[in-house]
């Protein structure tokens, strides 16, 4: 029965497509933006080996455009209380392939065509084309558009159309991909491919945002009613203990700048090992580490008459000025006349003394050098490395003992 209903749906689509999109849509001067009709199916089609639909994997020509559409879709779903869709590479590739194919062969249709000397030749249906990239699906859907110049404009058009909005806000889908291509009669082509698989339980970080400036992120986990327990970890950290399944989870990432991956494992109550897993990645644009509480310059003054150095030594006490997280540091100098009491330490209590070698003053009245403070390990700390200028000046006498041993920002 499902297959029969599907056939009616596809036939209806083909019939109405012929009415709505006659041959003139591929003429170069017909550049009126259009979004076609939305399509959706509930059963896989038999695999048909059309040469024109063999998968070709493409690099995004405008990753920012595609990501903006991804985020806009989940914003629209959030407005009506729906869970976010998980962006996956296979649906990205299916959508990107079709956008590029429509632009290259100058047509606008959900089904795929090849342009030959005699005109357009049918290659494969839209669902068969997607299944070449995205297999074992239970639901599929697709929106297409052409002639829209920005993510905002194409999303507005889709949301103003009942069929396209229905795909975007469908509860049948859990996964999603976007493709964008330039060129062709319309100048720009957009494809959204939607899907769900019975054995897939996506994890989505911050509604599929590409980046965050805070380590506190929100997770959405599919699998409610299927799994009784779950455990989480970020990056290569230790797994949490098994806990009762929850679809909404707050998590704190390691506060280091760069890409972070959150993973989850699921199991049913009574099982002793994981039965399914998922993961998602987000970029953290800030760091919880900032090297500070350090001068830009240290100045030593030697009084020949008094045989006295002011100050005798200068203490450095590096701090993490971004957060309370402990930070390890190292200090070094290429100048032999600069003595360093401790070459490494940790915040907040670690210190080191910088002291000049008096023997270096025999043949000069002034010395210039530097020390460099660096945060240890792989941490990307703001302000690291920090180079501190070190200067030693010799004077005959000091009548006034007021001096500034260091200069800070």
């Amino acid at each position: 029965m499902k297959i029969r209903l599907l056939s009616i749906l596809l036939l209806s689509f083909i019939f109405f497509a012929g009415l709505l999109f006659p041959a003139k849509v591929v003429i170069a001067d017909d550049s009126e933006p259009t979004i076609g009709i939305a399509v959706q199916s509930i059963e896989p089609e038999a695999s048909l080996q059309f040469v024109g639909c063999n998968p070709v994997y493409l690099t995004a020509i405008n990753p920012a455009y595609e990501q903006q559409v991804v985020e806009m879709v989940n914003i629209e779903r959030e407005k009506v209380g729906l869970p976010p869709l998980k962006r996956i590479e296979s649906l990205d590739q299916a959508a990107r392939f079709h956008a590029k194919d429509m632009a290259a062969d100058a047509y606008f249709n959900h089904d795929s065509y090849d342009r030959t000397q005699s005109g357009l030749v049918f290659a494969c249906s839209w669902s068969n084309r997607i299944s070449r990239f995205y297999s074992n699906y239970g639901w599929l859907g697709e929106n297409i558009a052409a002639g829209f110049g920005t993510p905002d404009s194409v999303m507005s058009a889709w949301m103003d159309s009942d069929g396209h909005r229905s795909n975007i806000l469908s509860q049948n889908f859990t996964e999603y991909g976007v493709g964008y291509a330039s060129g062709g009669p319309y100048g720009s082509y957009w494809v959204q491919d939607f899907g769900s698989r019975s054995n897939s339980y996506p994890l989505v970080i911050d509604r599929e945002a590409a980046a965050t400036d805070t380590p506190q992120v929100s997770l959405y986990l599919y699998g409610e009613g299927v799994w009784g327990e779950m455990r989480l970890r970020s990056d290569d950290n230790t797994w949490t203990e098994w806990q009762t399944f929850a679809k909404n989870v707050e998590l704190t990432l390691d506060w280091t700048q760069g890409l972070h991956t959150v993973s989850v494992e699921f199991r049913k109550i009574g099982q002793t090992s994981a039965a399914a897993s998922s993961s998602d990645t987000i970029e953290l644009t800030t760091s919880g580490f900032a090297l500070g509480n350090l001068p830009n310059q240290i100045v030593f003054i030697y009084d020949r008459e008094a045989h006295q150095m002011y100050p005798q030594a200068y203490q450095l006490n590096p701090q993490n000025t971004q957060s309370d997280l402990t930070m390890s540091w190292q200090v070094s100098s290429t100048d032999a006349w600069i003595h360093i009491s401790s070459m490494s330490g940790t915040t907040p209590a670690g210190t080191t003394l910088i002291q000049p070698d008096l023997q270096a003053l025999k043949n000069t009245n002034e010395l210039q050098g530097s020390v460099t403070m660096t945060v240890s390990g792989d941490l990307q700390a703001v302000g690291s490395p920090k180079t501190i200028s070190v200067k030693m000046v010799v004077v005959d006498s000091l009548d006034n003992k007021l001096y500034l041993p260091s200069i800070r920002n």
Side-chain angles (χ1 to χ4, degrees):
M1 184 64 177
K2 290 182 178 178
I3 294 176
R4 184 179 176 186
L5 289 173
L6 173 61
S7 299
I8 294 172
L9 174 63
L10 292 178
L11 286 172
S12 297
F13 159 70
I14 294 170
F15 173 71
F16 285 110
L19 293 178
L20 293 172
F21 309 115
K24 69 177 183 179
V25 300
V26 299
I27 297 174
D29 62 356
D30 184 1
S31 58
E32 184 73 19
T34 182
I35 58 175
I37 63 173
V39 291
Q40 191 177 115
S41 72
I42 59 174
E43 292 288 346
E45 281 191 306
S47 177
L48 302 175
Q49 300 302 313
F50 293 113
V51 174
C53 288
N54 287 336
V56 176
Y57 296 89
L58 304 170
T59 301
I61 65 167
N62 195 326
Y65 268 17
E66 293 182 356
Q67 179 60 29
Q68 285 178 58
V69 173
V70 167
E71 295 181 14
M72 288 177 184
V73 163
N74 281 335
I75 288 172
E76 295 297 337
R77 291 176 66 87
E78 183 179 25
K79 290 178 182 177
V80 295
L82 290 172
L85 300 179
K86 169 69 177 293
R87 184 184 190 183
I88 63 170
E89 179 67 15
S90 58
L91 286 176
D92 272 350
Q93 288 294 342
R96 207 171 285 152
F97 173 92
H98 193 48
K100 178 66 175 178
D101 192 50
M102 287 191 293
D105 284 343
Y107 72 95
F108 183 74
N109 200 299
H110 286 283
D111 294 334
S112 294
Y113 290 81
D114 292 326
R115 183 165 291 281
T116 67
Q117 291 182 349
S118 59
L120 286 175
V121 177
F122 178 81
C124 68
S125 70
W126 67 275
S127 55
N128 186 264
R129 180 247 309 157
I130 297 174
S131 70
R132 308 288 181 96
F133 297 88
Y134 180 75
S135 59
N136 301 318
Y137 64 83
W139 280 89
L140 277 184
E142 181 173 87
N143 290 341
I144 61 175
F148 296 90
T150 66
D152 284 327
S153 62
V154 73
M155 273 299 297
S156 293
W158 278 329
M159 289 302 295
D160 286 340
S161 163
D162 290 342
H164 300 84
R165 183 174 63 253
S166 178
N167 271 347
I168 291 170
L169 302 181
S170 174
Q171 298 186 55
N172 297 320
F173 303 130
T174 60
E175 297 171 321
Y176 177 57
V178 177
Y180 168 81
S182 59
Y186 283 93
S188 61
Y189 292 79
W190 306 80
V191 179
Q192 295 177 312
D193 281 337
F194 306 86
S196 62
R197 297 171 292 174
S198 59
N199 62 344
S200 178
Y201 303 94
L203 178 158
V204 185
I205 305 175
D206 279 356
R207 308 195 73 84
E208 211 62 314
T212 176
D213 60 2
T214 173
Q216 285 77 40
V217 295
S218 298
L219 312 180
Y220 185 88
L221 298 98
Y222 284 87
E224 187 177 26
V226 178
W227 306 113
E229 294 181 322
M230 65 183 189
R231 63 177 184 172
L232 296 157
R233 74 172 179 180
S234 60
D235 301 317
D236 294 323
N237 294 327
T238 304
W239 288 99
T240 65
E241 296 296 323
W242 286 99
Q243 56 193 277
T244 302
F245 176 90
K247 63 183 180 181
N248 293 296
V249 177
E250 300 298 316
L251 183 75
T252 301
L253 304 172
D254 290 340
W255 201 354
T256 55
Q257 190 173 4
L259 291 176
H260 292 268
T261 299
V262 177
S263 303
V264 62
E265 291 185 341
F266 304 105
R267 70 183 184 186
K268 295 181 182 293
I269 299 293
Q271 289 183 324
T272 58
S273 59
S277 63
S278 188
S279 64
D280 197 14
T281 299
I282 194 168
E283 181 183 5
L284 181 54
T285 59
T286 61
S287 173
F289 301 91
L291 182 61
N293 194 43
L294 296 170
N296 293 324
Q297 184 180 56
I298 300 171
V299 178
F300 294 96
I301 300 177
Y302 181 74
D303 186 339
R304 278 202 180 99
E305 183 178 73
H307 301 288
Q308 184 68 44
M309 178 74 70
Y310 302 98
Q312 293 185 358
Y314 186 84
Q315 179 176 280
L316 296 178
N317 176 217
Q319 296 293 314
N320 180 2
T321 57
Q322 180 69 37
S323 69
D324 294 332
L325 297 173
T326 300
M327 190 168 64
S328 298
W329 50 263
Q330 296 176 333
V331 63
S332 62
S333 178
T334 58
D335 300 288
W337 62 272
I338 299 175
H339 291 176
I340 301 172
S341 66
S342 178
M343 307 300 290
S344 63
T346 59
T347 60
T351 63
T352 186
L353 292 177
I354 306 300
Q355 191 171 20
D357 182 359
L358 296 182
Q359 296 300 316
L361 294 175
K362 289 182 177 180
N363 300 313
T364 184
N365 288 328
E366 183 175 312
L367 289 173
Q368 291 273 6
S370 65
V371 296
T372 300
M373 184 77 66
T374 306
V375 173
S376 307
D378 297 328
L379 293 181
Q380 296 181 348
V382 176
S384 174
K386 168 72 172 181
T387 298
I388 303 168
S389 172
V390 181
K391 183 177 181 180
M392 183 164 64
V393 180
V394 179
V395 297
D396 292 331
S397 66
L398 281 175
D399 295 329
N400 190 336
K401 298 301 191 290
L402 179 65
Y403 58 90
L404 297 175
S406 67
I407 300 174
R408 297 176 184 267
N409 283 335

